[in-house]
Amino acid sequence: MTAELVRGQNHPLSQARLEIRISAGTPIVAVAALGDENGRIRGVEWVAHPGAPTRPGLEVSRQAAADHRLAVDLDAVPEAVHRVSVLLALPVGWTGPVRFGAVAAPFVAVTGLDGDEVASYTITGLEAESAVVALELYRRHDAWKVRAVGQGYAGGLADLLADQGLPQAHQLAGTVNDAVAQGLARSVQALPPRTADGDRSRQTAAPALGPDQGGTAPQPGPVPPVSPYGGQTPGGPGQPAPQQPYAAPDPSVVTQPSAPTAGGPIDYSHPRRQNAAPPPPAPTAPPAEPGQPAQPVAGDATGWSMEERLYNQVWGMFEDLARTIAAYRSAVDFAESRMDKELEQVLSDPRSRIGGQGDAAREAARARHTQLVTQAREALDRDLTQLAAEADVVEPALPPAYARWDNPAWHAYRVPVEIPMALRLGDLHLAEADRIRIPMLVRLPLERGLWIDSGAAGASDGSFTDSHTMSGLAMETAVAHAARLLAVYPAGEFTVHVIDPAGSGAQALGPLVQTGVLAAPPALGAAGVADVLGRLTQRVDLVQMAVRGGAADSLPPGFDTSQQLLIVNDFPHGFDDRAVNQLRYLADEGPAFGVHLMMVADREESSGYGPLLDPLWRSLLRLTPVADDHLADPWVGHAWTYEPSLVPPGSRLLQRVLAQVAAARTKFM
């Protein structure tokens, strides 16, 4: 349970390897400082800052940002260290706020490597201060604790460091400011608020439920016209863009920390990874020319590995695009409402309704509207150009689990030895930025089932696809997703079952059947449905009892512990009431115990069950075999167009990849 601290309160720490997550309403600088038994910083080598982001036991961000993740390894700090202080400061020499009283209260959370919060602290009561000691981790009788501090300094980072006993405080503050100035082109402002629950550190960046899944797209208020690349606010002069806090996506991996070597550097090896070598340093772009945006670099994000950096960078691109489009739409709405108001004022005055004076007023209102929209479009084009450049760099660098099927990474495919963080299910884009495709990544193992909608529907381009064609396309999409899951898991750690009662998906299932990667041939008829559902339901029951009884290591000998995927085609054909209840049980309980569901179905065909199946559909993530704008993000409510990730027509890539999977499985057995 998370301890929500107030100023001066402390809380014990049970882990040595921690993350400090910081959320603020504006780009800030994060610094971590080591202190001796008196809390004194002995030298600049005891301070991790953007100019020197790694110190023994510490790693901080290389630039100013609205959100930070600091890595701390308490077992790797020097023996003389008794205190680790987390310091926050506003950047110097830029156009942003100069005091914390003008921004949202910063939020700081201490988490374990599994992403669970240990303690959190919202820093309130700041006014003229431009630097603050957020919290400190301190050693007491060979045990570590965290204390909420919240001590602010109006004199900035130099005064704060001087108060910590650092002799070179002013010189180091200047070094930090210089390093931050070089990176401000990459810092971004915060998104509008996403939720009302106040939890800003653990929210995931997954698309929200669509209206057809029982959810409703959020109805945002006016979105401030903020450019994520520091461009001019497109709302026109005199229209400030207020800063708002937001929740960063949670890219943490559920792992157990490994024991680091005392007194050594941070152990960067990813927990549960078989490769214990440290990752390469985070790539950095060459300094940008004055007035020019920084050149994009693949992996330019925080993370313990390149895979995690790319994952965070992709979701950062998603946030940037969402914010950019929200800013443009808000600016256009403002321009239209302003023109309507001015025209209404002209019409309300009888003296200006007719004649030259009225015509001039109307023309002036339209000219101002055009000017504002043009400014907004220029800012949008500038930001989209930067995002497109970043996408062009990131896409070729993605590993197979994140890459499109036409990415060269698949031609060099080898069966992995470890499970990736996430999986690509398709692409997302918005109407104003059709050329920019953001990979839709979901974390592994899957936390909810998938529903490939095979119902007749109109695509986002206005075309209409009948139910028969959609059924075939949906099954091909399901096979592509299943093949990707099989390909990204190590040999023997992922098993696929298929229920195809009428055999209507035989052609689409060909690659899975012919390569021998299925656990058994597709189940046919009502008897096949009952057999597969019975075995998987029994499996969930057995694992559930073992886990809840604390006997997870006492499963029967030879028990298959791999993740299980059940593909169900042509539902509800071949399902009786018992089978329907078992399917609902698997959808609800299965993901937590290693059994996942992929439905290929038309919801209308099961309408005879009435509201009985509504919880089933709501529990699944709805995907479509054709482009469709049914996904709503949880921040500003954009309707994102989803396109599935399919193998290029005529390609034999899928068969080659699955053949390698089958061969590796044979060796594994």
Side-chain angles (χ1 to χ4, degrees), residues 499 529 533 537 566-568 571-572 575-590 597-599 613 616-617 619-620:
I499 290 178
V529 171
L533 290 178
T537 301
L566 173 61
I567 302 176
V568 178
F571 177 81
F575 281 73
D576 56 19
D577 290 344
R578 175 181 173 82
V580 169
N581 287 331
Q582 288 176 320
L583 192 68
R584 286 187 55 189
Y585 176 75
L586 292 178
D588 293 339
E589 302 293 336
L597 190 61
M598 183 184 295
M599 297 278 292
L613 292 181
L616 171 66
W617 304 117
S619 69
L620 304 175

Side-chain angles (χ1 to χ4, degrees), residues 29-30 48-53 59-65 67-70 302:
V29 182
H49 57 83
E59 183 179 14
V60 301
S61 305
R62 297 173 179 266
Q63 61 190 25
D67 291 270
H68 292 270
R69 291 168 181 261
L70 281 59
T302 59

